[in-house]
Amino acid sequence: MLKVVDSDSFMKEIKELYDTAFPREERYLDFEPTVKQMEAADFGKRRGELLAFGEDTGETAGFVGFVMVLFCGDIVHLYYFAIQEKLRGRKYGEQALNLIRERYRDRNIWLSVELPDENADNQQQRLRRKQFYYRNGFRDTDVSGEKNGCMLQMMSTDGTVDSDILIQLDKLINKMITEGRKLQ
């Protein structure tokens, strides 16, 4: 059974998965400074958190994946979410999303996915990813845009995205990028 485990214990594995699961153009935040900035308080509130998922095997938990979430208003934005490649297709992603929904049960959950593109090298992966999120309760919103040359669409658990909160979220991300660069 999957559970949330101490992310500090799996930081090396999380960083490796981050580097392999996301194309370079999607890794526009440097990992270590981003984690520091995300966990920093902003007006007395944490900006987000890094959760690691482990398979409960009794006394220990083997690393399965992670999610980096950002908090903005009453939403939780799944910024990076990945399951180890060798473990995909075994319902771990579904279990992780269930843990996330339970942890943030009073909030709308947002995420961004690559838009399907017949000319993209990873077109099948994009389609499978969207289907995965559909099966797990996410719905398309009418918000899409380009980030570092990648066309993304917002999905959410209730099918809506508040434009004011989206602007706040974008400012938060830009602030974290700026502050993260200062730490390097």
Side-chain angles (χ1 to χ4, degrees):
M1 184 163 107
L2 200 68
K3 66 180 183 177
V4 175
V5 296
D6 178 33
S7 59
D8 290 338
S9 299
F10 292 106
M11 197 57 72
K12 179 180 176 231
E13 292 88 346
I14 293 171
K15 173 69 168 103
E16 287 172 4
L17 181 55
Y18 172 78
D19 286 341
T20 58
F22 300 99
R24 180 66 201 134
E25 63 271 11
E26 290 182 29
R27 288 183 273 136
Y28 37 83
L29 294 177
D30 291 318
F31 190 77
E32 289 88 354
T34 298
V35 171
K36 288 177 186 172
Q37 292 307 311
M38 179 188 62
E39 293 176 344
D42 205 6
F43 301 107
K45 296 181 181 178
R46 287 182 27 215
R47 297 173 177 171
E49 65 182 338
L50 180 66
L51 302 176
F53 300 105
E55 184 176 26
D56 190 357
T57 57
E59 294 179 24
T60 62
F63 178 70
V64 172
F66 78 95
V67 65
M68 181 183 290
V69 298
L70 299 177
F71 306 135
C72 193
D74 64 347
I75 67 102
V76 172
H77 180 68
L78 305 187
Y79 204 53
Y80 291 107
F81 174 57
I83 300 297
Q84 287 194 71
E85 187 172 4
K86 66 184 179 184
L87 299 175
R88 293 177 193 157
R90 297 183 189 179
K91 305 284 186 193
Y92 286 120
E94 180 180 321
Q95 291 176 54
L97 286 176
N98 287 335
L99 289 169
I100 292 166
R101 275 195 295 273
E102 178 60 28
R103 188 176 188 98
Y104 307 114
R105 66 180 149 276
D106 298 330
R107 295 180 169 188
N108 189 13
I109 301 173
W110 295 1
L111 57 86
S112 300
V113 294
E114 294 170 299
L115 282 170
D117 178 354
E118 291 179 5
N119 298 318
D121 292 339
N122 67 341
Q123 170 67 347
Q124 290 305 309
Q125 181 185 50
R126 291 177 184 209
L127 293 170
R128 283 191 311 272
R129 189 175 293 129
K130 278 202 78 157
Q131 288 303 314
F132 166 77
Y133 287 119
Y134 287 144
R135 284 191 315 273
N136 286 281
F138 286 85
R139 296 185 284 177
D140 289 334
T141 70
D142 59 357
V143 177
S144 61
E146 181 268 336
K147 189 78 168 182
N148 287 0
C150 186
M151 288 301 296
L152 302 169
Q153 178 180 19
M154 296 291 292
M155 297 180 81
S156 72
T157 50
D158 74 357
T160 65
V161 170
D162 179 303
S163 59
D164 291 334
I165 293 177
L166 186 60
I167 290 168
Q168 290 175 29
L169 180 63
D170 196 45
K171 287 180 181 178
L172 172 64
I173 292 167
N174 288 333
K175 183 177 181 179
M176 287 171 49
I177 291 170
T178 301
E179 291 174 1
R181 287 183 180 144
K182 291 178 185 175
L183 293 174
Q184 294 179 339

